[in-house]
């Protein structure tokens, strides 16, 4: 999947003596150890997709066990927990974070702001290779004695370290080491994205002229840079506890009649550190998706983005607020009611900017010239999924309702809708939107639509019906329901249906992959700026853009990113780098 | 976690000041044409901006550790680890390193390359001595029976000093690169900037160390008590 030919477009060193973009000298430095942000982006995305496929297969295995308990001998309870843990951690950190920031961030930031490359290209390259190392270390857990950890993706102590939890000998160590490496790698990349946005924007590209995609990635990156230290500290302390006999988190425990060596640790401390990272992480995934969707909607509805300024403010507000709410994951851990009130209020406050965004997307569509091509379909699918997920979130945010629903499949259904399916639909939309830019060819329209409909309807079926299981009281993280009086037999039937849907949806992803590879080679050649978009990445002299993006002349920006259907203009869009004189016929 | 939250608020304040200067109340849909005042500037401010973010990240990291320390300190089972006397001497060394690097930065800005190089080397040596001193302090503490596994307080001592040392070590690598790239360079503005950024990083690590040092000496007691009443109230 790591097809790196995007950087292969004509490369004319003589075109840019004044610029110091490092010239690749060999095949290796051009495609493998490349410092071109576009190549790094495809490397990041390709690796993330690979991890995503593993996580997808793990979800199949879990679904098979839930539908046909015990029918597959190799899925025993330990394996089930290892699958859950790896699936969750991979999807959240190694797939979504990596693909939005490492993939789309690298590809789009320099192009959209009119820069030739990242601020520190070498560090950028290093960031990818560190990420790859983290992935390899993570995967090594599958091959070590005892297998990967099965502690659940939150990795709570003390049980994560106790014998009896699968993978407590090696798997857990490998997991934390991999996280530490991931954070180091991400920090290098993240510094690049932030500094590039702040320092390398083209002349005239003020902050308030940035497309929402860049705003989303920019704020999400800052959040990630500041939130990951929480996970880093937690990981290091866990490693000290596990390997060096310290007791940061491990309380005194008697196991099998004998006291363990640890004493005096505080498991609650871990929860604080973890959720200091964990809650912002939700928005680290969501904000880039929000930004990208705003741009796709505006472009494919040929209308300016409704309330751009409010969108920017909402993005910033979400960024700040999400550092104030982590305690809502710990309401039951016994905190001072004053803090409980603080966390509950700040959590409710976050709903305001989020709702603003939803309304603005919808107003953007209102009376637009909507083109139902794949990027638009995925974006509409995103809105529908996100709104449903948000509504079920209202149930869970209500303490009285949350008590019976907590730890049921209702929760699993809810978070898969908001932070699983919704962002992934945006990723698909973004791929279909920017594919012509990356490859110079169009994706096959019919295959893309087929993939959309199977994925959208399929995931909807999986997770919408799963709410119903949750209401019936089916618990989450259960390997086997066994003989449980309150669970009616219909649950088994629905579980089978959900699993069949999950298998179909999973298989449908290969339609996209096939389409991607086929179109990259044989797709219909794309004409320049095929969607008629205003943003700078489509105004490059060549498609795909050369290593230095702009050839001789880097662009100057004269307008914001959303001049669609401007009255009196000769086309229904005016690119950001078009001066006022040329815009009218 | 109060310290960490306070630090994040501080950063948010900084961000707010920055954003206020970015004219985020602009109405970009009305303002077409060239906007004066902004034109990109490659490498140099990029390095400075980068350092500001590095400091913010390192700051959050230590704020979180300090928060964790404060949350745990004073629990019933908390047995304070004695802070070795050597730490005072080490603190002096770090002060010296900071001063020397500041001198190097000024010499470099004043286009005195030789003096700058010499001061830079001296600063690096002082920092190296600090790191060795910290390791000696570790051994002293472990020798007195306060190993990593002996209790939470000792574990915090090793974690805090260790992470701080690791960041100083990273700084030394940056210093070495600076030295290699700018040796004898008296003309370029970029040499002076590199020196200045190194010095700034050292001042920041000194500040962090002073706060950690205070906590490890048990001077944070008032703060600990305050936080605890807030949590338990
Ligand atoms: C069609 C795609 C997917 C299917 C069929 C699926 C299925 C599952 C299943 C069966 C579980 C375990 C539920 C339980 O027994 O408690 C699970 C857990 C989880 N999934 Fe997915 N999933 C999918 C995609 C995703 C995506 C895209 C994400 C990214 C956010 C994600 C994140 C998680 C997390 C965080 C957990 C919780 C792990 C834990 O409890 O420790 N999943 N998923
Ligand atoms: Cu949360």
């Amino acid at each position: 999947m790591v097809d790196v030919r995007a950087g292969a477009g004509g490369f004319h060193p003589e075109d840019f003596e004044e610029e110091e973009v490092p010239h690749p000298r060999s095949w290796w430095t051009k495609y493998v150890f490349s410092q071109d942000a576009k190549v790094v982006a495809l490397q990041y995305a390709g690796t993330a997709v690979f991890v995503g496929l593993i996580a997808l297969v793990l979800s199949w295995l879990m679904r098979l066990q839930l539908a046909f308990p015990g029918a597959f001998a190799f899925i025993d309870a330990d394996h089930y927990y290892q699958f859950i843990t790896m699936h969750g951690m991979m999807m959240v950190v190694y797939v979504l974070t990596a693909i939005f920031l490492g993939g789309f961030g690298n590809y789009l930031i320099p192009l959209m702001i009119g820069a030739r490359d990242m601020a520190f290209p070498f560090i950028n390259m290093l960031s990818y290779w560190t990420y790859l190392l983290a992935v390899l270390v993570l995967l090594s857990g599958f091959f070590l004695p005892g297998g990967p950890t099965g502690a659940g993706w939150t990795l709570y102590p003390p049980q994560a370290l106790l014998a009896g939890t699968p993978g407590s000998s090696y798997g857990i160590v490998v997991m934390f080491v991999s996280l530490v490496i991931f954070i180091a790698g991400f920090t290098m990349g993240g510094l690049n994205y932030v500094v590039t946005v702040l320092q390398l924007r083209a002349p005239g590209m003020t902050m308030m002229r940035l497309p929402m995609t860049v705003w989303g990635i920019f704020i999400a990156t800052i959040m990630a840079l500041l939130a990951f230290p929480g996970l880093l500290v937690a990981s290091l302390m866990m490693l000290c506890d596990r390997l060096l006999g310290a007791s940061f988190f491990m309380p005194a425990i008697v196991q099998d009649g004998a006291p363990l060596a640890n004493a005096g640790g505080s498991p609650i401390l871990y929860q604080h550190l973890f959720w200091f990272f964990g809650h912002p992480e939700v928005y680290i995934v969501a904000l880039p998706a929000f930004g990208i969707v705003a741009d796709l909607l505006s472009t494919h509805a040929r209308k300016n983005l409704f309330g751009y300024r409010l969108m920017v403010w909402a993005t910033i507000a979400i960024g700040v607020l999400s550092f104030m709410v982590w305690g809502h994951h710990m309401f039951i851990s016994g905190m001072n009611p004053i803090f409980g009130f603080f966390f509950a209020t700040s959590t409710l406050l976050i709903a305001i900017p989020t709702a603003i965004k939803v309304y603005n997307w919808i107003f953007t569509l209102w009376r637009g010239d909507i083109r139902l091509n794949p990027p638009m379909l995925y974006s509409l699918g995103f809105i529908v999924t996100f709104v449903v997920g948000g509504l079920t979130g209202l149930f869970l945010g209500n303490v009285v309702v949350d008590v019976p629903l907590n730890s049921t499949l209702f929760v699993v259904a809810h978070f898969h809708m908001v932070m699983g399916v919704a962002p992934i639909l945006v990723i698909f939309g973004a791929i279909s939107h920017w594919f012509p830019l990356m490859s110079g060819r169009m994706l096959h329209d019919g295959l893309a639509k087929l993939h959309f409909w199977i994925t959208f309807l399929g995931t909807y079926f999986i997770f919408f019906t799963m709410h119903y299981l949750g209401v019936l009281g089916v618990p989450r993280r259960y390997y086997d329901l066994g003989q449980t009086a309150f669970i009616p037999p219909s649950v088994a039937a629905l579980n089978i249906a959900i699993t069949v849907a999950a298998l179909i949806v999973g298989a449908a992803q290969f339609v996209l992959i096939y389409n991607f590879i086929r179109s990259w080679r044989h797709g219909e050649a794309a004409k320049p700026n095929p969607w008629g978009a205003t943003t700078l990445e489509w105004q490059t002299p060549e498609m795909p853009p050369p290593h230095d993006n702009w050839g001789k002349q880097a662009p100057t920006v004269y307008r914001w990113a959303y001049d669609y259907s401007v009255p009196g203009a000769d086309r229904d869009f005016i690119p950001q780098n078009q001066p006022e004189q040329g815009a009218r016929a | 976690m109060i310290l960490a939250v306070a630090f994040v608020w501080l950063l948010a304040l900084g961000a707010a000041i920055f954003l206020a200067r970015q004219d985020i109340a602009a109405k970009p849909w009305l303002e077409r044409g060239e906007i004066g005042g902004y034109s990109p500037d490659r490498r140099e401010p990029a390095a400075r901006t980068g350092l500001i973010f590095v400091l913010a990240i390192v700051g959050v990291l230590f704020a979180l550790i300090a928060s964790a320390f404060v949350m745990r300190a004073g629990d019933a089972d908390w047995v304070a680890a004695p802070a070795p006397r050597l730490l005072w001497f080490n603190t002096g060394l770090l002060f010296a390193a900071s001063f020397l690097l500041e001198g190097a930065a000024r010499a470099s800005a004043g286009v005195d390359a030789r003096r700058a190089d010499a001061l830079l080397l001296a600063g690096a040596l002082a920092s190296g001595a600090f790191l060795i001193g910290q390791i000696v302090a570790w051994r002293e503490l472990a020798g007195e029976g306060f190993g990593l596994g002996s209790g939470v307080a000792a574990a915090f001592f090793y974690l805090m000093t260790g992470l701080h040392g690791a960041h100083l070590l990273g700084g030394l690598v940056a210093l070495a690169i600076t030295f290699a790239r700018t040796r004898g360079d008296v003309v370029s503005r970029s040499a002076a900037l590199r020196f200045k950024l190194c010095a700034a990083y050292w001042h920041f690590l000194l500040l962090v160390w002073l706060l950690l040092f205070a906590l490890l000496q048990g001077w944070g007691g008032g703060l600990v008590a305050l936080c605890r009443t807030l949590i338990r109230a």
Side-chain angles (χ1 to χ4, degrees):
Chain A
M1 275 298 296
V2 190
D3 198 334
V4 287
R5 277 179 304 155
F11 181 74
H12 309 298
E14 67 278 9
D15 282 355
F16 52 97
E17 300 88 46
E18 46 14 300
E19 278 295 333
E20 67 265 54
V21 173
H23 300 192
R25 285 183 217 292
S26 71
W27 185 87
W28 281 99
T29 47
K30 202 160 162 183
Y31 297 124
V32 182
F33 296 104
S34 171
Q35 302 189 17
D36 180 352
K38 296 185 289 301
V39 177
V40 175
L42 291 176
Q43 290 172 327
Y44 248 115
T47 312
V49 168
F50 173 71
V51 180
L53 288 177
I54 298 178
L56 178 75
V57 171
L58 293 177
S59 78
W60 281 355
L61 297 176
M62 288 188 287
R63 280 311 322 172
L64 285 175
Q65 163 61 26
L66 292 177
F68 311 104
F72 299 88
F74 69 98
I75 313 179
D76 58 14
D78 277 3
H79 280 125
Y80 187 82
Y81 287 114
Q82 293 171 324
F83 297 162
I84 282 202
T85 308
M86 296 302 271
H87 164 84
M89 188 58 100
M90 280 178 170
M91 283 289 192
V92 172
V93 174
Y94 295 82
V95 178
L96 291 181
T97 309
I99 210 165
F100 272 120
L101 303 181
F104 290 111
N106 262 314
Y107 205 93
L108 296 175
I109 289 175
L111 280 165
M112 284 190 141
I113 67 173
R116 290 188 185 272
D117 204 337
M118 284 289 177
F120 314 110
F122 180 76
I123 297 181
N124 204 31
M125 173 184 83
L126 218 55
S127 158
Y128 167 70
W129 292 100
T130 316
Y131 164 63
L132 184 64
L133 179 66
V135 168
L136 294 177
V137 171
L138 180 77
L139 295 183
S140 74
F142 283 105
F143 304 102
L144 290 171
T149 175
W153 88 282
T154 46
L155 303 172
Y156 276 1
Q159 118 275 11
L161 298 187
L162 291 180
T165 305
S168 60
S169 40
Y170 295 98
I172 188 76
V173 175
V174 164
M175 170 61 91
F176 281 117
V177 170
S178 168
L179 284 173
V180 169
I181 301 175
F182 179 92
I183 294 167
F186 174 77
T187 304
M188 296 184 228
L191 279 173
N192 252 305
Y193 317 150
V194 174
V195 174
T196 305
V197 171
L198 288 175
Q199 297 295 340
L200 300 190
R201 301 190 309 278
M205 180 64 96
T206 57
M207 291 298 275
M208 290 307 276
R209 279 176 172 177
L210 290 174
M212 281 314 295
T213 300
V214 177
W215 267 111
I217 294 175
F218 175 62
I219 300 290
T221 306
I222 296 181
M223 289 171 61
L225 287 173
L226 299 180
F228 272 125
L231 185 60
L232 182 73
V233 173
S235 303
L236 291 176
M237 287 179 167
M238 279 291 257
L239 285 172
C240 288
D241 279 11
R242 171 67 187 75
L243 298 175
L244 303 175
S247 300
F248 287 112
F249 302 134
M250 296 296 282
I253 289 178
V254 175
Q255 193 166 39
D256 298 333
L260 298 182
N262 301 87
S266 157
I268 297 286
L269 182 57
Y270 175 89
Q271 296 190 13
H272 277 295
L273 291 171
F274 184 87
W275 288 113
F276 182 85
F277 146 80
H279 184 84
E281 173 64 26
V282 177
Y283 286 94
I284 291 165
V285 171
L287 286 183
F290 290 174
I292 290 173
V293 143
D295 284 355
L296 298 193
L297 289 173
S298 170
T299 306
H300 297 280
R302 317 307 296 161
K303 247 193 82 196
N304 66 352
L305 184 67
F306 186 90
Y308 171 82
R309 199 163 49 146
L310 213 53
M311 294 285 250
V312 171
W313 293 350
T315 307
I316 297 170
I318 291 176
V320 175
L321 282 176
S322 43
F323 281 96
M324 315 287 159
V325 300
W326 77 86
H328 63 211
H329 296 274
M330 302 171 55
F331 280 145
I332 53 165
S333 69
M335 61 170 68
N336 183 331
I338 298 177
F339 281 157
F341 179 75
F342 169 80
F343 285 129
T345 317
S346 51
T347 304
L348 291 179
L349 275 181
I350 272 202
I352 299 173
T354 312
I356 289 178
K357 286 189 167 265
V358 175
Y359 287 120
N360 283 359
W361 295 325
I362 293 170
F363 285 134
T364 301
L365 290 171
W366 178 252
R367 298 193 157 192
D369 174 9
I370 297 176
R371 313 209 161 149
L372 284 180
N373 45 27
M376 175 55 94
L377 287 177
Y378 287 116
S379 306
L380 294 177
F382 162 81
I383 296 183
V384 174
T385 314
F386 188 76
V387 167
V388 170
L391 288 179
T392 54
L394 284 184
F395 289 64
L396 294 175
N398 193 324
V399 177
V400 183
V401 186
D402 183 43
V403 169
L405 288 180
N406 197 321
S407 298
T408 67
L409 286 182
F410 194 91
V411 178
V412 176
H414 155 72
F415 75 70
H416 275 90
M417 281 230 158
V418 259
M419 83 165 299
V421 178
I424 286 209
L425 286 174
V426 177
I427 291 175
F428 294 147
I431 290 176
S432 58
H433 180 76
W434 279 294
F435 185 83
L437 183 68
M438 296 186 281
S439 68
R441 296 175 185 278
M442 303 300 283
L443 267 187
H444 188 284
D445 199 59
L447 284 177
K449 284 181 178 157
L450 179 74
H451 170 258
F452 166 75
W453 283 110
I454 301 181
T455 307
F456 175 64
L457 295 178
T459 48
Y460 221 83
F461 180 82
I462 299 172
F463 294 114
F464 200 77
T465 49
M466 203 182 276
H467 287 98
Y468 180 68
L469 293 181
V471 172
L472 287 179
V474 180
R476 77 182 275 212
R477 291 186 172 173
Y478 265 41
Y479 162 68
D480 191 348
L481 294 175
Q483 301 298 321
T484 316
F486 64 88
I487 292 175
S490 58
V491 164
L494 189 50
N495 256 333
I496 294 178
I498 291 181
T499 297
V500 171
L503 292 174
I504 296 175
V505 167
Q509 303 319 306
F510 292 93
V511 175
L512 176 72
I513 292 175
Y514 168 76
N515 191 4
F516 193 92
I517 295 172
R518 193 205 71 102
S519 305
W520 197 292
R521 299 241 172 91
H522 312 294
E524 178 197 338
K527 41 187 199 331
N529 196 358
W531 310 120
T534 55
T535 38
L536 289 181
E537 81 275 20
W538 296 102
Q539 324 302 333
T540 52
E542 291 166 50
M543 210 170 69
H547 183 176
D548 69 342
N549 291 350
W550 307 104
K552 275 202 182 62
Q553 184 63 54
T556 303
V557 172
Y558 297 97
R559 58 190 66 247
W560 71 327
Y562 302 100
D563 266 347
Y564 289 105
S565 307
V566 178
D570 52 358
R571 288 181 297 181
D572 71 347
F573 70 100
I574 311 177
Q576 281 191 279
N577 59 347
Q578 178 152 149
E580 197 64 354
Q581 309 86 282
R584 283 157 215 277
Chain B
M1 298 309 278
I2 292 174
L3 288 175
V5 173
F7 188 76
V8 171
W9 275 111
L10 203 70
L11 291 178
L13 192 71
I17 294 172
F18 168 80
L19 285 168
R21 301 219 315 253
Q22 292 300 312
D23 205 11
I24 60 162
K27 298 196 171 92
W29 52 95
L30 299 178
E31 295 160 2
R32 305 216 167 83
E34 258 168 293
I35 294 185
Y38 174 70
S39 73
D41 190 349
R42 214 174 149 82
R43 305 283 172 203
E44 301 188 359
R48 189 188 303 125
T49 313
L51 185 72
I52 292 174
F53 276 94
V54 169
L55 297 190
I57 298 165
V58 177
V60 174
L61 182 73
F62 283 104
L64 283 166
I65 295 187
S67 296
F69 182 92
V70 169
M71 275 179 75
R72 292 290 287 117
D75 271 356
D77 58 343
W78 180 266
V79 184
R85 295 281 276 290
L86 187 61
L87 292 187
W88 287 93
F89 178 69
N90 291 350
T91 307
L93 281 175
L94 199 58
F95 259 113
S98 213
F99 269 114
L100 288 167
L101 287 183
E102 179 65 25
R106 300 211 168 158
S108 170
V111 212
D112 186 346
R114 292 202 60 214
R115 197 176 137 80
D117 284 352
L119 284 171
L120 186 91
L121 275 182
L125 283 179
S127 312
F130 170 83
L131 286 178
I132 295 172
Q134 294 288 77
I135 293 175
V136 174
W138 277 14
R139 303 193 55 154
E140 233 173 70
L141 198 65
E144 287 169 30
F146 289 94
L148 191 58
S150 69
V152 188
F156 265 108
F157 179 88
Y158 291 104
L159 185 74
M160 287 165 147
T161 48
L163 268 179
H164 179 265
H167 281 86
L168 199 67
L169 207 61
L172 281 176
V173 173
L175 216 57
I177 297 175
T178 302
F179 187 68
R181 293 241 175 109
T182 61
R183 238 165 75 125
D185 182 350
V186 287
V187 272
S188 84
R189 220 155 53 85
S190 82
L193 182 79
R194 279 167 183 279
F195 274 80
K196 211 171 125 194
L197 297 183
C198 284
Y201 184 68
W202 249 257
H203 302 335
F204 184 76
L205 281 189
L206 175 65
L207 184 71
V208 168
W209 170 247
L210 291 178
L211 296 176
L212 295 183
F213 185 60
L215 283 180
L216 291 172
Q217 295 287 350
W219 295 341
L223 185 62
V224 173
L226 177 73
C227 293
R228 300 191 69 77
T229 45
L230 276 176
I231 292 171
R232 288 287 148 82

